Structures are given as structure tokens and as C-alpha cells.
Amino acid sequence: MPLGPWRKKNKSTKEHLVENEEVGSGHAGAGSLANKSSVNGAGLPPPPANLRPKLVFHTQLAHGSPTGRIEGFSNVKELYGKIAQAFNISPPEIMFCTLNTHKIDMDKLLGGQIGLEDFIFAHIRGIKKEVEVHKSEDALGLTITDNGAGYAFIKRIKDGSVVDAVKVINVGDHVQCINGHNIVGTRHYEVARMLKELPKDKMFTLKLVEPMKAFEMLEPRSKGAKPASENKIGTGRGTLRLRSKGPATVEEEPTEFEEKAVKKVDDLLESYMGIRDTELAATMVEVGRDKNNPDEFAMALDETLGDFAFPDEFVFDVWGAIGDAKQGRF
């Protein structure tokens, strides 16, 4: 639909194209891997098992464990299931995963793509904590993301912000409850909205769960990913792209255009919505790659990401960012 004041959600869309940081919580069958050329944006049925590439990844629990081998997953929920099976734990115990580091490094957070040579570290639930916060400013200074399987957590804490002064709150903490309201299963942008709408000059209560840490991981508090930092996806020669609709696909490493455009769109998501989600940003870049004008782009966004209600100014800025990346202007 054409741009207009605050386009409404498309109620007919029942599930998100992107469910992780990003993200992938669709229901394609386990192990449904396909070559990129055989899959369209809407997703086709997975190929026969004997035609699927056999991709094996190595994994550990971030606080310490033997090394496990996993294969046959198409999205983040299935990935968590495979990791849980390898270590005999319950899938809901897994909070998020990082690539090639056991540390809580938000620049290495697993999103919708995994390098074919990446090592996966799973961070599981640790200590629960409850904290009261006085909202002395309109903005709390939090950036929220989610794990694609129902857990929203803190990706960044702004220096000098309200939350920065509450030292018990850390990057990586899962936000379980806000003022006694359980928000497990709530998407990151909804959690960010709830926090933004809390009244100023009032106290509110957060129930948090921090990732389990090994002794050597206890270190000074991290502020999380820096918006201006480089955030390469994968280190191998190719990547496995996880999708919520259709099979996962093996793709080449992101081009320079894709990396720059995704980074800029991710920055805009934080600026407008208080979230960071590289997979959502990558999907928006993919949608806008061949569109000729903002109206075409807006209509394609509504069709592809109908559960999101993006403000028009944000859509224009994203369209401009994609255009700038095409022209090499940043």
C-alpha cells in the first residue's frame, strides 16, 4: 500500500518473516537445507533429504562443556533444539548464542546467518534477579533484541543513562517481567515500547535472568555492542542463512553493499524503535534491493513484514540508506 500516516499492520499475516537478530522462528522441517538458487522469498518445500547438503557445526556451552556436533536445523528454534539435545538440557534453558567466542559479546551475537566455519557457543540461563529502577528520564538507555525463540534481552546500555547507574543490570540479561507482567514470548520491539511507555519519575520493577558464567568470565561490566562498530557475519567462505519461512539456504558471504546497508538499517532500527536486529535489517535490505521508489518499497515491506507497523519517516530513511549503499556513499 502507498505511504500514508502510520500504515497499519497487515492482519492477514500470521507470522514474522524474521524471528531473530535477529532471527528465525518459523516452522520449516529440521534439516531442510537448500541451495540459494532453488528458493524464492516465500519459501519452497524442502528438497529430498538425499539432496540436502550435510552441514555440521561444532558447539559448546559458553560457561564450559565438552564440544558437541550439531546438524539438520533450518531456524533458530531448531538450532536451540539441536544444541539442547547435544548437551541433554531443555531448549528453553538457552538464552542466546555467540559465534567464535564464549564471552557475552553482542558484536558476535548469532543472528540469521552462520559462517560455515563458525563455532557456536550457547549461553544458558543463570542467576535470577529482581531490581527496582527509578525512571528519572524519558529514555532508559537500553537497546533490546531477542533470540528468535521468545526471550528478549539487553543488547546495549548507553553510557550515563538511567540504567547505566543501576550496576546490577547487565548486557545479556533476559528481561523476564516488567512490573510483574511476564513478557516471555514478546518480540523485542514490543518490549522496547513497553519500557518507553513507563511513566517518568516513577519506580518500576524488572525481573531479569543473567547468562550463566564460568569463573574466568567474571569481568567488568560490558556496555554491549557499539552501534558504530563493524559487525561481520560469519568468518567462513559461506554462510548458512536461517529463515522462518522456507528452508535454510547456503549463501556467499555478504557483499560490501549488503554489509554497509544492513549496518545502517540496523542503526535506524535502534534509533527509531530501540532495538537492534541484523536479520530484520538484512531482510529489509533484501526487500528494497530491486525496488524503484519508496512506495514500491513500502508496499513490499507490508507484504513481507506485515506484522510490523513501521512509521513512514523510518521507511523513507531505510529506503535512503539502501540507495546510499548502492551508490557507495557510505
Side-chain angles (χ1 to χ4, degrees), residues 9-32:
K9 296 181 181 180
N10 180 354
K11 298 296 184 182
S12 64
T13 302
K14 297 297 183 182
E15 58 183 351
H16 302 294
L17 176 66
V18 177
E19 288 292 339
N20 63 1
E21 192 173 284
E22 56 135 217
V23 243
S25 72
H27 301 86
S32 51

PDB file of all heavy atoms in Angstrom, residues 9-32:
ATOM      1  N   LYS A   9      -0.894  -2.515  10.520  1.00  0.00           N
ATOM      2  CA  LYS A   9      -0.431  -3.887  10.361  1.00  0.00           C
ATOM      3  C   LYS A   9      -1.328  -4.649   9.416  1.00  0.00           C
ATOM      4  O   LYS A   9      -2.523  -4.426   9.357  1.00  0.00           O
ATOM      5  CB  LYS A   9      -0.421  -4.601  11.718  1.00  0.00           C
ATOM      6  CG  LYS A   9       0.546  -4.016  12.728  1.00  0.00           C
ATOM      7  CD  LYS A   9       0.475  -4.804  14.003  1.00  0.00           C
ATOM      8  CE  LYS A   9       1.421  -4.228  15.046  1.00  0.00           C
ATOM      9  NZ  LYS A   9       1.349  -4.984  16.295  1.00  0.00           N
ATOM     10  N   ASN A  10      -0.724  -5.552   8.690  1.00  0.00           N
ATOM     11  CA  ASN A  10      -1.479  -6.453   7.835  1.00  0.00           C
ATOM     12  C   ASN A  10      -1.951  -7.629   8.674  1.00  0.00           C
ATOM     13  O   ASN A  10      -1.211  -8.514   9.030  1.00  0.00           O
ATOM     14  CB  ASN A  10      -0.563  -6.945   6.705  1.00  0.00           C
ATOM     15  CG  ASN A  10      -1.265  -7.890   5.776  1.00  0.00           C
ATOM     16  OD1 ASN A  10      -2.411  -8.282   6.010  1.00  0.00           O
ATOM     17  ND2 ASN A  10      -0.565  -8.275   4.720  1.00  0.00           N
ATOM     18  N   LYS A  11      -3.225  -7.635   9.034  1.00  0.00           N
ATOM     19  CA  LYS A  11      -3.736  -8.625   9.967  1.00  0.00           C
ATOM     20  C   LYS A  11      -3.728 -10.035   9.394  1.00  0.00           C
ATOM     21  O   LYS A  11      -3.816 -11.012  10.110  1.00  0.00           O
ATOM     22  CB  LYS A  11      -5.178  -8.268  10.364  1.00  0.00           C
ATOM     23  CG  LYS A  11      -5.269  -6.922  11.077  1.00  0.00           C
ATOM     24  CD  LYS A  11      -4.516  -6.941  12.399  1.00  0.00           C
ATOM     25  CE  LYS A  11      -4.689  -5.644  13.158  1.00  0.00           C
ATOM     26  NZ  LYS A  11      -3.935  -5.622  14.405  1.00  0.00           N
ATOM     27  N   SER A  12      -3.647 -10.136   8.057  1.00  0.00           N
ATOM     28  CA  SER A  12      -3.691 -11.473   7.473  1.00  0.00           C
ATOM     29  C   SER A  12      -2.385 -12.223   7.615  1.00  0.00           C
ATOM     30  O   SER A  12      -2.316 -13.417   7.426  1.00  0.00           O
ATOM     31  CB  SER A  12      -4.051 -11.391   5.979  1.00  0.00           C
ATOM     32  OG  SER A  12      -3.043 -10.707   5.278  1.00  0.00           O
ATOM     33  N   THR A  13      -1.310 -11.508   7.941  1.00  0.00           N
ATOM     34  CA  THR A  13      -0.015 -12.154   8.092  1.00  0.00           C
ATOM     35  C   THR A  13       0.074 -12.768   9.476  1.00  0.00           C
ATOM     36  O   THR A  13      -0.030 -12.081  10.463  1.00  0.00           O
ATOM     37  CB  THR A  13       1.116 -11.121   7.903  1.00  0.00           C
ATOM     38  OG1 THR A  13       0.966 -10.531   6.621  1.00  0.00           O
ATOM     39  CG2 THR A  13       2.473 -11.796   8.013  1.00  0.00           C
ATOM     40  N   LYS A  14       0.271 -14.053   9.555  1.00  0.00           N
ATOM     41  CA  LYS A  14       0.192 -14.753  10.822  1.00  0.00           C
ATOM     42  C   LYS A  14       1.525 -14.910  11.523  1.00  0.00           C
ATOM     43  O   LYS A  14       1.576 -15.184  12.694  1.00  0.00           O
ATOM     44  CB  LYS A  14      -0.426 -16.147  10.607  1.00  0.00           C
ATOM     45  CG  LYS A  14      -1.858 -16.076  10.080  1.00  0.00           C
ATOM     46  CD  LYS A  14      -2.791 -15.401  11.057  1.00  0.00           C
ATOM     47  CE  LYS A  14      -4.215 -15.422  10.540  1.00  0.00           C
ATOM     48  NZ  LYS A  14      -5.136 -14.737  11.447  1.00  0.00           N
ATOM     49  N   GLU A  15       2.631 -14.775  10.793  1.00  0.00           N
ATOM     50  CA  GLU A  15       3.916 -14.969  11.446  1.00  0.00           C
ATOM     51  C   GLU A  15       4.947 -14.075  10.801  1.00  0.00           C
ATOM     52  O   GLU A  15       4.805 -13.614   9.686  1.00  0.00           O
ATOM     53  CB  GLU A  15       4.356 -16.428  11.361  1.00  0.00           C
ATOM     54  CG  GLU A  15       4.466 -16.947   9.935  1.00  0.00           C
ATOM     55  CD  GLU A  15       4.838 -18.419   9.919  1.00  0.00           C
ATOM     56  OE1 GLU A  15       5.156 -18.962  10.974  1.00  0.00           O
ATOM     57  OE2 GLU A  15       4.800 -19.008   8.840  1.00  0.00           O
ATOM     58  N   HIS A  16       5.989 -13.772  11.574  1.00  0.00           N
ATOM     59  CA  HIS A  16       7.049 -12.889  11.096  1.00  0.00           C
ATOM     60  C   HIS A  16       7.936 -13.621  10.093  1.00  0.00           C
ATOM     61  O   HIS A  16       8.221 -14.793  10.261  1.00  0.00           O
ATOM     62  CB  HIS A  16       7.915 -12.428  12.267  1.00  0.00           C
ATOM     63  CG  HIS A  16       7.139 -11.724  13.335  1.00  0.00           C
ATOM     64  ND1 HIS A  16       6.523 -10.523  13.136  1.00  0.00           N
ATOM     65  CD2 HIS A  16       6.871 -12.078  14.614  1.00  0.00           C
ATOM     66  CE1 HIS A  16       5.924 -10.155  14.246  1.00  0.00           C
ATOM     67  NE2 HIS A  16       6.116 -11.076  15.154  1.00  0.00           N
ATOM     68  N   LEU A  17       8.391 -12.904   9.090  1.00  0.00           N
ATOM     69  CA  LEU A  17       9.401 -13.483   8.211  1.00  0.00           C
ATOM     70  C   LEU A  17      10.690 -13.670   8.988  1.00  0.00           C
ATOM     71  O   LEU A  17      11.430 -14.606   8.792  1.00  0.00           O
ATOM     72  CB  LEU A  17       9.637 -12.563   7.012  1.00  0.00           C
ATOM     73  CG  LEU A  17      10.745 -12.994   6.061  1.00  0.00           C
ATOM     74  CD1 LEU A  17      10.362 -14.294   5.382  1.00  0.00           C
ATOM     75  CD2 LEU A  17      11.035 -11.928   5.035  1.00  0.00           C
ATOM     76  N   VAL A  18      10.951 -12.718   9.913  1.00  0.00           N
ATOM     77  CA  VAL A  18      12.189 -12.736  10.678  1.00  0.00           C
ATOM     78  C   VAL A  18      11.852 -12.860  12.153  1.00  0.00           C
ATOM     79  O   VAL A  18      11.053 -12.125  12.669  1.00  0.00           O
ATOM     80  CB  VAL A  18      12.982 -11.430  10.451  1.00  0.00           C
ATOM     81  CG1 VAL A  18      14.234 -11.417  11.294  1.00  0.00           C
ATOM     82  CG2 VAL A  18      13.328 -11.281   8.993  1.00  0.00           C
ATOM     83  N   GLU A  19      12.450 -13.821  12.821  1.00  0.00           N
ATOM     84  CA  GLU A  19      12.167 -14.017  14.231  1.00  0.00           C
ATOM     85  C   GLU A  19      13.443 -14.023  15.063  1.00  0.00           C
ATOM     86  O   GLU A  19      13.476 -14.585  16.125  1.00  0.00           O
ATOM     87  CB  GLU A  19      11.420 -15.337  14.426  1.00  0.00           C
ATOM     88  CG  GLU A  19       9.989 -15.278  13.926  1.00  0.00           C
ATOM     89  CD  GLU A  19       9.112 -14.369  14.745  1.00  0.00           C
ATOM     90  OE1 GLU A  19       9.459 -14.088  15.900  1.00  0.00           O
ATOM     91  OE2 GLU A  19       8.088 -13.920  14.222  1.00  0.00           O
ATOM     92  N   ASN A  20      14.556 -13.452  14.577  1.00  0.00           N
ATOM     93  CA  ASN A  20      15.721 -13.391  15.413  1.00  0.00           C
ATOM     94  C   ASN A  20      16.576 -12.221  14.984  1.00  0.00           C
ATOM     95  O   ASN A  20      16.272 -11.553  14.026  1.00  0.00           O
ATOM     96  CB  ASN A  20      16.537 -14.687  15.341  1.00  0.00           C
ATOM     97  CG  ASN A  20      17.073 -14.947  13.950  1.00  0.00           C
ATOM     98  OD1 ASN A  20      16.862 -14.183  13.048  1.00  0.00           O
ATOM     99  ND2 ASN A  20      17.778 -16.039  13.790  1.00  0.00           N
ATOM    100  N   GLU A  21      17.653 -11.958  15.577  1.00  0.00           N
ATOM    101  CA  GLU A  21      18.582 -10.953  15.200  1.00  0.00           C
ATOM    102  C   GLU A  21      19.673 -11.419  14.320  1.00  0.00           C
ATOM    103  O   GLU A  21      20.503 -11.950  14.856  1.00  0.00           O
ATOM    104  CB  GLU A  21      19.325 -10.402  16.363  1.00  0.00           C
ATOM    105  CG  GLU A  21      20.056  -9.150  15.918  1.00  0.00           C
ATOM    106  CD  GLU A  21      20.716  -8.374  16.913  1.00  0.00           C
ATOM    107  OE1 GLU A  21      20.216  -7.822  17.487  1.00  0.00           O
ATOM    108  OE2 GLU A  21      21.666  -8.345  16.859  1.00  0.00           O
ATOM    109  N   GLU A  22      17.894 -11.013  15.156  1.00  0.00           N
ATOM    110  CA  GLU A  22      17.535 -11.281  14.627  1.00  0.00           C
ATOM    111  C   GLU A  22      17.207 -12.181  14.766  1.00  0.00           C
ATOM    112  O   GLU A  22      17.444 -12.307  14.933  1.00  0.00           O
ATOM    113  CB  GLU A  22      17.429 -11.297  14.780  1.00  0.00           C
ATOM    114  CG  GLU A  22      16.912  -9.644  15.944  1.00  0.00           C
ATOM    115  CD  GLU A  22      16.689  -9.336  16.194  1.00  0.00           C
ATOM    116  OE1 GLU A  22      16.503  -8.930  16.422  1.00  0.00           O
ATOM    117  OE2 GLU A  22      16.673  -9.087  16.727  1.00  0.00           O
ATOM    118  N   VAL A  23      17.244 -13.688  13.284  1.00  0.00           N
ATOM    119  CA  VAL A  23      16.192 -14.362  13.987  1.00  0.00           C
ATOM    120  C   VAL A  23      15.578 -15.427  13.127  1.00  0.00           C
ATOM    121  O   VAL A  23      15.643 -15.356  11.980  1.00  0.00           O
ATOM    122  CB  VAL A  23      15.085 -13.431  14.459  1.00  0.00           C
ATOM    123  CG1 VAL A  23      14.912 -13.351  15.914  1.00  0.00           C
ATOM    124  CG2 VAL A  23      15.073 -12.128  13.781  1.00  0.00           C
ATOM    125  N   GLY A  24      14.852 -16.380  13.513  1.00  0.00           N
ATOM    126  CA  GLY A  24      14.213 -17.341  12.636  1.00  0.00           C
ATOM    127  C   GLY A  24      13.421 -18.318  13.436  1.00  0.00           C
ATOM    128  O   GLY A  24      13.926 -19.338  13.825  1.00  0.00           O
ATOM    129  N   SER A  25      12.142 -18.017  13.664  1.00  0.00           N
ATOM    130  CA  SER A  25      11.350 -18.938  14.468  1.00  0.00           C
ATOM    131  C   SER A  25      10.229 -19.556  13.675  1.00  0.00           C
ATOM    132  O   SER A  25       9.156 -19.798  14.181  1.00  0.00           O
ATOM    133  CB  SER A  25      10.785 -18.204  15.685  1.00  0.00           C
ATOM    134  OG  SER A  25       9.767 -17.335  15.294  1.00  0.00           O
ATOM    135  N   GLY A  26      10.486 -19.790  12.389  1.00  0.00           N
ATOM    136  CA  GLY A  26       9.460 -20.416  11.576  1.00  0.00           C
ATOM    137  C   GLY A  26       9.371 -21.898  11.855  1.00  0.00           C
ATOM    138  O   GLY A  26       9.989 -22.414  12.758  1.00  0.00           O
ATOM    139  N   HIS A  27       8.587 -22.602  11.055  1.00  0.00           N
ATOM    140  CA  HIS A  27       8.321 -23.996  11.349  1.00  0.00           C
ATOM    141  C   HIS A  27       8.700 -24.909  10.190  1.00  0.00           C
ATOM    142  O   HIS A  27       8.105 -25.940   9.979  1.00  0.00           O
ATOM    143  CB  HIS A  27       6.849 -24.164  11.713  1.00  0.00           C
ATOM    144  CG  HIS A  27       6.460 -23.344  12.905  1.00  0.00           C
ATOM    145  ND1 HIS A  27       6.070 -22.043  12.804  1.00  0.00           N
ATOM    146  CD2 HIS A  27       6.456 -23.651  14.229  1.00  0.00           C
ATOM    147  CE1 HIS A  27       5.792 -21.567  14.004  1.00  0.00           C
ATOM    148  NE2 HIS A  27       6.022 -22.531  14.880  1.00  0.00           N
ATOM    149  N   ALA A  28       9.727 -24.527   9.424  1.00  0.00           N
ATOM    150  CA  ALA A  28      10.213 -25.428   8.385  1.00  0.00           C
ATOM    151  C   ALA A  28      10.814 -26.657   9.035  1.00  0.00           C
ATOM    152  O   ALA A  28      11.310 -26.612  10.142  1.00  0.00           O
ATOM    153  CB  ALA A  28      11.262 -24.731   7.522  1.00  0.00           C
ATOM    154  N   GLY A  29      10.777 -27.776   8.307  1.00  0.00           N
ATOM    155  CA  GLY A  29      11.253 -29.037   8.886  1.00  0.00           C
ATOM    156  C   GLY A  29      12.732 -29.007   9.190  1.00  0.00           C
ATOM    157  O   GLY A  29      13.505 -28.325   8.524  1.00  0.00           O
ATOM    158  N   ALA A  30      13.125 -29.730  10.214  1.00  0.00           N
ATOM    159  CA  ALA A  30      14.525 -29.783  10.603  1.00  0.00           C
ATOM    160  C   ALA A  30      15.351 -30.349   9.468  1.00  0.00           C
ATOM    161  O   ALA A  30      14.970 -31.292   8.806  1.00  0.00           O
ATOM    162  CB  ALA A  30      14.685 -30.652  11.859  1.00  0.00           C
ATOM    163  N   GLY A  31      16.514 -29.709   9.282  1.00  0.00           N
ATOM    164  CA  GLY A  31      17.438 -30.215   8.280  1.00  0.00           C
ATOM    165  C   GLY A  31      17.079 -29.821   6.871  1.00  0.00           C
ATOM    166  O   GLY A  31      17.669 -30.316   5.923  1.00  0.00           O
ATOM    167  N   SER A  32      16.111 -28.901   6.671  1.00  0.00           N
ATOM    168  CA  SER A  32      15.703 -28.555   5.304  1.00  0.00           C
ATOM    169  C   SER A  32      16.622 -27.494   4.754  1.00  0.00           C
ATOM    170  O   SER A  32      16.319 -26.321   4.785  1.00  0.00           O
ATOM    171  CB  SER A  32      14.257 -28.068   5.305  1.00  0.00           C
ATOM    172  OG  SER A  32      14.058 -27.052   6.268  1.00  0.00           O
TER     173      SER A  32
END
